[in-house]
Amino acid sequence: MSSVVSGVSGAEVTDVFISSGESVSLSCHDALHQCSSTTWIYNNYTSSSAVEVFAGGINKNNTERSERLSLTSDCSLNIYNTTQHDGGVYTCRQYVNGHHLGPDSQVYLHVLHVSSSSSSSSSQTEIRANTSVTLSCQLFSYDCDYVLSYDGFQLVWMNQTDVDLQTDSRYQIRSDEHDCLISLTTTLVNEDDNTELRCVLKHKNDIKTSVTYTVRFTEQRGPVSAVLTDSSVRKDPTVI
């Protein structure tokens, strides 16, 4: 499979799957020397308008995330500490004397992100035992519902032994394919100390990326500290 998402005709298209908080480098194929001819254009999943993030190899500094962006010596685009808002399609384009030289390079960046809420607060990071918590795992892409409709792609919640939590009555799992979201609701008990709840993006038997939510007790029967950790299965982001 060369690409999940169809790009512009003639463009070289790549899909990259990561979890939020990771850093990633998006390749620009056939970039010209010193990047002075290189322009990177970004389209996100909420708007059809394109934004130039680099032009002529220079950071445009026109977005809140500009300080997290840089170019490498081969004109690849580095994104540091990615958030769900970085999901989208990135186009690397070459201009010489004002003329567009093709083909473009397109990278579809798919970011997996988990957020939590409890019955007492929508943004609480510390909760007590016997409190209900809901974890929402969402894929942020330019066209995420198309990705999940592609044969073999799915979002699942698993435990640390890779058992699908859909089969455990302690957990209520709900899916929303249109919003590319799968939520898990459970009541944490004292025995959940160091429990790992893992949201996984799978393609058939291949794990593309994952995020682990680790529950740790600060003291017995005391507050529960909910720690979100990155658990991508590879050191490098998954690229198709």
Side-chain angles (χ1 to χ4, degrees), residues 85-237:
H85 306 297
D86 292 317
V89 58
Y90 294 78
T91 302
C92 184
R93 185 168 292 168
Q94 306 296 313
Y95 290 97
V96 175
N97 297 325
H99 297 288
H100 173 207
L101 298 181
D104 294 341
S105 297
Q106 283 191 327
V107 183
Y108 284 79
L109 182 62
H110 313 275
V111 181
L112 192 65
H113 178 76
V114 170
S115 58
S116 66
S117 66
S118 72
S119 58
S120 59
S121 171
S122 61
S123 59
Q124 199 168 338
T125 57
E126 289 191 351
I127 58 178
R128 296 186 179 276
N130 302 314
T131 298
S132 176
V133 62
T134 296
L135 306 179
S136 298
C137 178
Q138 191 167 2
L139 182 67
F140 292 86
S141 303
Y142 183 72
D143 196 358
C144 70
D145 53 348
Y146 179 84
V147 174
L148 290 183
S149 69
Y150 200 92
D151 181 40
F153 271 92
Q154 61 176 329
L155 288 171
V156 296
W157 277 104
M158 307 172 75
N159 64 17
Q160 57 262 48
T161 59
D162 293 336
V163 173
D164 190 337
L165 293 179
Q166 187 77 51
T167 63
D168 190 328
S169 60
R170 273 200 62 197
Y171 304 95
Q172 293 77 54
I173 310 292
R174 295 181 176 85
S175 298
D176 186 335
E177 293 184 1
H178 177 71
D179 288 331
C180 307
L181 183 148
I182 185 169
S183 65
L184 175 152
T185 301
T186 191
T187 299
L188 296 175
V189 296
N190 290 321
E191 290 74 16
D192 286 324
D193 188 20
N194 291 319
T195 295
E196 292 183 354
L197 306 174
R198 186 182 182 206
C199 181
V200 178
L201 175 65
K202 299 176 67 177
H203 178 248
K204 299 181 179 178
N205 293 323
D206 185 18
I207 295 177
K208 293 303 179 185
T209 190
S210 66
V211 180
T212 296
Y213 186 93
T214 304
V215 176
R216 294 195 182 99
F217 283 81
T218 54
E219 60 183 46
Q220 187 66 19
R221 298 185 181 276
V224 177
S225 176
V227 181
L228 190 62
T229 60
D230 167 27
S231 66
S232 297
V233 294
R234 300 175 177 83
K235 288 186 178 180
D236 296 323

Side-chain angles (χ1 to χ4, degrees), residues 53-54 59-70 78 80:
V53 293
F54 274 84
N59 193 323
K60 297 288 287 186
N61 294 314
N62 56 354
T63 66
E64 294 180 356
R65 63 201 181 113
S66 295
E67 62 184 16
R68 295 190 292 109
L69 306 178
S70 69
N78 283 336
Y80 303 99

